[in-house]
Amino acid sequence: MLISSAVLAADYYVSTAGVDTQPGSFAQPWRTIQKATSLVVAGDTVFIRGDGGVYNERVSLTGRDGTAVAPIVFKTYPGDPLAIIETTIAAAQSGEIALLHLQNSDYITIQNIEFRNCKTTGSNAQQKTQLPIGIYITGDGAGIAIRNCKVHDIWQSCTALNDFNANGLGIAAYGNSATAIDGLILDGNEVYNLRTGASESVVLNGNVTNFAVTHNTVHDCNNIGIDFIGFEGTNATPALDQARFGVCSENIVYNIDSKFNPAYGGNFSPGGTDDNRAAPGLYVDGGRDIILERNHVYLCNFAVSVGSEHPNKFVTNVIVRNNLLHHCHVGGIVIGGSGTNNGGADNCAFTHNTLHNNDTAGYGGGQFSIQHYITNSIIQRNLLATTASFAQYVLKTNTTGSFAAGAINWNYYKGPAGGDIEFYWNNVAKSTFADWQAAAGLSKDSNSTFSTGSLGLANNTPTSASPASDFALISSSVLRDIGDSAGVPFTPATGEKDYFGQSRVANTRVDIGADEYMTSWQAWRDTYFALPDGGTNANASDDAEHDGAPNLLEYSQGANPNVADPTLLPRASQVGTSLRFTYRKAASELTYAVEQNTTLPGTWTPLTTSEQTDGAGLFWRDSPLSASARFFRLKVTQP
């Protein structure tokens, strides 16, 4: 006989009205979250009541493991406002002061919790010994997920100028163990109103692998938005001291500005005189094998920075693609080391990004700045646009590094009519596009375009998070179908999508910039088959689920072609003394005609009774009942 036993997952409850000596049930909850951390095991869920009061505590979870199928979960009780965790830092406190510290723990999920008000106090000397942190992950840990949390008002309040020893962190993962922080997920969080000194709002540093940083919103912070770091000595083993093999996707980052940050010479207020703006929205600082895609970054000092701050150390295999980057203060994308005593970047790709009206403060960073020690990298199929009267585009203001012939190509440059333009190649300025193409005899931008005409973009709102249509291409856009040649077509990477999540190629040719224009019909086919131009099961006459309705009819009725749903298809029914034929017109560009017949096969003729509608998308035509058989059909025609 084989006997097996299992520990059933338990639900525990915490409330500000609870008592830690109680059993932690719904009726008798605990008072502190820390109490729960000492008891939870794999599969347990701790529900934190957000029904009033604040949890003024610091929560630490060490050596507690869930499993992939049975994680340990801490989350706000469903239906309650977010549970709030905060703390008051005394002037005498020092070291790392985290609202939540996860250490050497696997498969922990933190969900729908608010972390706030962790601010340094005391003299500048005291504050430089204090490191306020919202969420802190250290040691090793597999399968940790931070989802839909708020982290805000984490402040390093030290006013010492130009001092990099006073710092703070919003969400931080520091892989300082020989075993990685592996499979970390940061998804759907909002991180804002931080004062981090010379540190970062969201950071993955050291031995952190296979991560996904997705759908987060980071805003109104006084230094770097999201950062992936290597070479800082976080991990004692150099080969493990890089954040790597991860994705940073579909994040929104804005209002990241170091102008009034004391670490850079400011005094926290717009009344100061400091003008040092060096904070990127997204930064790969020594990381490797990372994809930054489909992010929206605006009103930051820089949109994206990829490089290394450490001599002879290189960022490698970083892909920056299909991002919307606009209206940043100093520049759009900046790559490489900022000086000859820094490192650089190797084998990186910057493709299909929309860079629009960056360098709004006139610092001279242009749309794309190439700094020191860039090798084996490409800059292709990007839109670089500006309306500034002095328009700066690609600026390589040094002679280090190298690009292969054709590595910079298929880009589109937009400038103002009558304005001055500037490119730099190997520290030599070029004031015409032809001179730029010919610089140094390198085959560069030979298939690219410079124009002062209209781009055909839907919108370019600079001051707030743009709606989904912003910077999308309209049907007449000059950026359509010009990103490759018929002889050498562009092939997207596996899984690559445009900024809006659509296939990267439509109409058999690829567009330039972050958006791939699609007609409504193409977008519908792309949604259900990932084949905007047709193909297996995606052609107009195909019937993927074999319900008798071809794709074009399914499209016209707003139906899902992969799921049989007869209630969405045209149908006839008796209403009083009439036969009623009901249908939809979900695609406005199509032509719809209702026809009738008395025999099959036979001749179809138009049904001439008046069309009626309920105003909510349903249409019908009535016809008097008769003794003979009647057949109706909806004829749908593409223009």
Side-chain angles (χ1 to χ4, degrees), residues 134-152:
I135 299 174
Y136 195 31
I137 305 165
T138 63
D140 63 71
I144 295 172
I146 312 296
R147 298 183 183 275
N148 303 318
C149 292
K150 288 182 181 288
V151 179
H152 64 98

Side-chain angles (χ1 to χ4, degrees), residues 371-422:
Q371 297 186 135
H372 291 278
Y373 309 124
I374 307 298
T375 53
N376 303 311
S377 296
I378 64 171
I379 303 169
Q380 295 180 350
R381 299 180 176 87
N382 303 287
L383 167 64
L384 300 94
T386 178
T387 58
S389 58
F390 178 50
Q392 295 178 299
Y393 298 98
V394 179
L395 308 173
K396 186 178 187 297
T397 54
N398 62 82
T399 58
T400 65
S402 63
F403 284 83
I408 303 175
N409 203 6
W410 296 104
N411 300 298
Y412 196 102
Y413 302 92
K414 163 69 168 69
D420 295 324
I421 71 170
E422 185 174 69

Side-chain angles (χ1 to χ4, degrees), residues 556-581:
S556 75
Q557 301 305 292
N560 182 339
N562 296 312
V563 178
D565 188 356
T567 63
L568 291 178
L569 297 179
R571 57 180 175 172
S573 59
Q574 181 179 344
V575 178
T577 59
S578 298
L579 280 173
R580 175 167 293 178
F581 185 67

Side-chain angles (χ1 to χ4, degrees), residues 431-501:
S431 59
T432 70
F433 187 59
D435 286 346
W436 159 253
Q437 290 175 301
L442 180 67
S443 175
K444 176 168 47 11
D445 272 329
S446 58
N447 298 104
S448 300
T449 301
F450 179 86
S451 174
T452 60
S454 172
L455 292 171
L457 300 180
N459 196 0
N460 58 7
T461 304
T463 56
S464 63
S466 301
S469 61
D470 273 8
F471 294 88
L473 308 187
I474 62 175
S475 60
S476 60
S477 175
V478 295
L479 303 172
R480 291 184 58 192
D481 303 332
I482 64 167
D484 61 5
S485 65
V488 187
F490 168 78
T491 302
T494 301
E496 180 180 359
K497 300 290 185 180
D498 78 347
Y499 174 75
F500 295 103

Side-chain angles (χ1 to χ4, degrees), residues 222-238:
N222 73 349
N223 206 10
I224 301 161
I226 303 175
D227 199 357
F228 306 96
I229 295 180
F231 311 127
E232 283 196 339
T234 296
N235 197 285
T237 303

Side-chain angles (χ1 to χ4, degrees), residues 79-93:
D80 283 359
L82 292 185
I84 298 170
I85 302 175
E86 65 180 22
T87 192
T88 300
I89 300 176
Q93 284 182 269

